[in-house]
C-alpha cells in the first residue's frame, strides 16, 4: 500500500479539530446566545467547519481522481458507517432519546437511511466513480470547462437566484457538490494554475474566506439583523456550497499540499481515525446527547472560560474518537475476511463498467 502523505494527514487532523469546534458552538447552541464576547467567539468558529468540509472534499477527490473503484474500500467504509450508526443509536436510547422501529430500520441502510450526511454522500459518490471516471478520461478541456460551469450553475448559482426570488430549487444537493469538486479537481490537475503553488497567496485566501464569512455572520446576527442585503449574503454562505467556502477550502488544501513533511507514523495513524471521529460526535441521534447531556454546553454559554472549554471539549472528543475508532478498526475490519463478504467484494471488483 502506498504510504500516506503526512502533510495531507496533518491537514485532515486539523480540519477535524476545527469541525468539532464548529459543531460545539452550532449544536451546542452558543451561536444563539445574547450578544457578548462568547457569541463573537462562536460566530468566529462557524466558517472554520464549513471551509474544512470543502477541504475534506478536495483531499478526497485529489486522490480518487487517480484511483480506480475498489470494492474492499467501499465495504470497509460501509461497515464503518454501519458500526457507528447502530452503536450510537443504541447509546442514544440509553439517554432517553426516542428511537422508533422505523428509525432502527433506517439506521441499517448507511447510504439511503438515517445516517451521517457526509458519510452517506461519500459512499454514494464513491460507487459512482467508475461512471464519472469514464467521462473524465474522454472529456476535452473545453468540455470540462462547460461541465464545471453547468455544475456551478446547478449547485451554486441556483441558490443565488433562489435567495433573490425567494424559492430554492431542489436541484442542488450534497452529492452534486461532490461531483462538482471531483471534476474541478480533475481540471486543476490537468491544467494547473500558478496560484496553487503560491503559499502566501493561499494563506491570504483562507484568511479572507474565513473573515468574510465571519463578518457576514456578525452583521446578520448582531450589527444589521433583519437587513435585506445582509440576509441575502447570509443565505449565500449558509452551507458548504458557498463560493466563499469552496475557494477557502481548496486554498487550505493546496496550502498543506505544498508543505513538505517527512512521513510520520503517528500523524498517519491518527488521521486514519478521523472519519470515525466525525461519525461519533456528529451522529444524528447522539449529537444532542453529546452537547446537552454529556458536556452540558448550555451551562457555560456565558462563562469567562468559554473559549477554553470549547478547546477542551474539542480535544477530549477528538482523543476519545481516535481511541474508539482504533478499537473499531481492529474489531469490524476482520469481517472483511469472512468468506461470504470476500466473495461479494470479488464480484464487485469484476464488474465491467
Amino acid at each position: 500500500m502506498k504510504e500516506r502523505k503526512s502533510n495531507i494527514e496533518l491537514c485532515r487532523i486539523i480540519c477535524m479539530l476545527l469541525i468539532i469546534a464548529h459543531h460545539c458552538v452550532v449544536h451546542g447552541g452558543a451561536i444563539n446566545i445574547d450578544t457578548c464576547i462568547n457569541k463573537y467567539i462562536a460566530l468566529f468558529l462557524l466558517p472554520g467547519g464549513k471551509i474544512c468540509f470543502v477541504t475534506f472534499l478536495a483531499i478526497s477527490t485529489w486522490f480518487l481522481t487517480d484511483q480506480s473503484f475498489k470494492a474492499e474500500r467501499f465495504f470497509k467504509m460501509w461497515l464503518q458507517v454501519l458500526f457507528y450508526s447502530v452503536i450510537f443509536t443504541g447509546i442514544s436510547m440509553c439517554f432517553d432519546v426516542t428511537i422508533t422501529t422505523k428509525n432502527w430500520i433506517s439506521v441499517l441502510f448507511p447510504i439511503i437511511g438515517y445516517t451521517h450526511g457526509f458519510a452517506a454522500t461519500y459512499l454514494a459518490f464513491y460507487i459512482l466513480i467508475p461512471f464519472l471516471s469514464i467521462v473524465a478520461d474522454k472529456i476535452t478541456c473545453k468540455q470540462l470547462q462547460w461541465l464545471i460551469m453547468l455544475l456551478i450553475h446547478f449547485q451554486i448559482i441556483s441558490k443565488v437566484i433562489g435567495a433573490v426570488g425567494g424559492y430554492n430549487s431542489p436541484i442542488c444537493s450534497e452529492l452534486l457538490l461532490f461531483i462538482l469538486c471531483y471534476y474541478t479537481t480533475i481540471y486543476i490537475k490537468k491544467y494547473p494554475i500558478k496560484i496553487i503553488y503560491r503559499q502566501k497567496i493561499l494563506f491570504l485566501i483562507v484568511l479572507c474566506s474565513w473573515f468574510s464569512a465571519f463578518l457576514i455572520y456578525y452583521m446578520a446576527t448582531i450589527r444589521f439583523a433583519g437587513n435585506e442585503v445582509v440576509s441575502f449574503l447570509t443565505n449565500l454562505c449558509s452551507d458548504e456550497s458557498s463560493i466563499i467556502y469552496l475557494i477557502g477550502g481548496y486554498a487550505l488544501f493546496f496550502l498543506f499540499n505544498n508543505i513538505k513533511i517527512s512521513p510520520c507514523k503517528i500523524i498517519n495513524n491518527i488521521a486514519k481515525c478521523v472519519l470515525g471521529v466525525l461519525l461519533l460526535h456528529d451522529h444524528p441521534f447522539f449529537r444532542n446527547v453529546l452537547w446537552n447531556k454529556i458536556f452540558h454546553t448550555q451551562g457555560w454559554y456565558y462563562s469567562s472560560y468559554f473559549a477554553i472549554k470549547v478547546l477542551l471539549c474539542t480535544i477530549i472528543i477528538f482523543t476519545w474518537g481516535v481511541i474508539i475508532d482504533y478499537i473499531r478498526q481492529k474489531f469490524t475490519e476482520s469481517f472483511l475476511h469472512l468468506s461470504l463478504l470476500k466473495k461479494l467484494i470479488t464480484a464487485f471488483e469484476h464488474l465491467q463498467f
Side-chain angles (χ1 to χ4, degrees):
M1 183 181 287
K2 192 175 180 181
E3 189 172 32
R4 289 169 172 253
K5 295 182 177 181
S6 294
N7 55 329
I8 300 300
E9 301 310 293
L10 179 61
C11 182
R12 291 184 203 268
I13 292 169
I14 292 173
C15 283
M16 184 49 60
L17 287 167
L18 289 171
I19 287 173
I20 296 171
H22 166 94
H23 287 150
C24 181
V25 298
V26 173
H27 300 311
I31 58 170
N32 299 316
I33 65 177
D34 297 331
T35 302
C36 61
I37 186 65
N38 291 348
K39 188 177 182 75
Y40 295 146
I41 293 170
L43 292 177
F44 181 76
L45 291 173
L46 267 182
K50 301 294 186 183
I51 289 171
C52 290
F53 178 95
V54 175
T55 302
F56 272 119
L57 289 186
I59 293 171
S60 298
T61 54
W62 188 261
F63 294 105
L64 288 175
T65 52
D66 294 327
Q67 298 174 5
S68 57
F69 174 84
K70 292 182 175 61
E72 183 174 347
R73 177 175 180 171
F74 172 80
F75 280 108
K76 184 182 288 188
M77 185 173 176
W78 188 90
L79 282 173
Q80 182 180 10
V81 177
L82 181 65
F83 173 87
Y84 282 102
S85 293
V86 172
I87 295 297
F88 282 89
T89 298
I91 291 174
S92 298
M93 288 184 70
C94 297
F95 286 89
D96 298 322
V97 175
T98 302
I99 311 292
T100 66
T101 302
K102 291 180 180 179
N103 291 149
W104 273 111
I105 293 172
S106 184
V107 160
L108 298 175
F109 295 89
I111 299 181
I112 57 176
Y114 202 93
T115 188
H116 193 275
F118 176 86
T121 307
Y122 185 92
L123 285 169
F125 167 71
Y126 188 70
I127 209 166
L128 288 174
I129 281 181
F131 308 100
L132 298 174
S133 63
I134 292 172
V135 175
D137 290 339
K138 297 182 178 181
I139 200 167
T140 65
C141 177
K142 199 70 177 177
Q143 290 170 334
L144 186 54
Q145 289 173 347
W146 274 104
L147 177 59
I148 291 171
M149 283 191 287
L150 284 171
L151 291 171
I152 287 173
H153 176 78
F154 297 146
Q155 185 64 25
I156 301 173
I157 305 301
S158 66
K159 291 185 178 181
V160 177
I161 295 172
V164 174
Y167 172 75
N168 285 314
S169 169
I171 194 170
C172 55
S173 68
E174 201 165 282
L175 181 57
L176 197 62
L177 177 61
F178 272 68
I179 295 171
L180 168 60
C181 290
Y182 179 78
Y183 285 116
T184 299
T185 300
I186 287 174
Y187 185 85
I188 294 172
K189 292 184 86 169
K190 282 186 175 181
Y191 315 104
I193 50 179
K194 292 181 180 180
I195 197 171
I196 67 174
Y197 305 109
R198 305 280 180 82
Q199 291 294 83
K200 290 181 181 179
I201 295 177
L202 290 171
F203 182 70
L204 187 61
I205 290 173
V206 174
L207 285 182
C208 287
S209 299
W210 194 315
F211 278 95
S212 295
F214 166 68
L215 186 61
I216 291 170
Y217 288 132
Y218 166 76
M219 291 190 297
T221 58
I222 298 174
R223 186 66 177 171
F224 301 108
N227 181 279
E228 288 188 10
V229 175
V230 174
S231 296
F232 171 75
L233 292 173
T234 306
N235 283 331
L236 297 187
C237 63
S238 59
D239 64 26
E240 298 82 5
S241 294
S242 167
I243 194 67
I244 295 174
Y245 298 137
L246 285 169
I247 292 173
Y250 266 89
L252 183 60
F253 163 68
F254 286 117
L255 191 65
F256 276 89
N257 195 42
N258 295 332
I259 297 172
K260 304 300 179 185
I261 298 179
S262 300
C264 177
K265 259 190 174 181
I266 295 175
I267 291 176
N268 293 356
N269 287 333
I270 291 174
K272 287 180 183 178
C273 303
V274 158
L275 179 60
V277 176
L278 176 66
L279 295 174
L280 181 156
H281 90 274
D282 201 37
H283 185 280
F285 289 123
F286 185 66
R287 63 167 69 110
N288 287 330
V289 171
L290 179 68
W291 301 117
N292 298 321
K293 296 186 178 182
I294 296 177
F295 284 105
H296 300 285
T297 52
Q298 67 273 21
W300 36 274
Y301 284 164
Y302 301 100
S303 169
S304 302
Y305 303 102
F306 176 80
I308 295 174
K309 290 185 177 183
V310 171
L311 177 62
L312 287 175
C313 277
T314 300
I315 294 171
I316 290 169
I317 290 169
F318 183 84
T319 302
W320 276 104
V322 168
I323 292 170
I324 291 169
D325 197 69
Y326 180 80
I327 296 170
R328 190 275 316 166
Q329 288 176 28
K330 301 299 180 184
F331 173 71
T332 62
E333 291 182 12
S334 61
F335 284 100
L336 291 171
H337 302 292
L338 294 176
S339 58
L340 181 62
L341 196 53
K342 286 183 75 174
K343 288 179 181 178
L344 189 59
I345 290 172
T346 303
F348 261 74
E349 294 286 10
H350 286 87
L351 283 176
Q352 298 297 316
F353 292 103

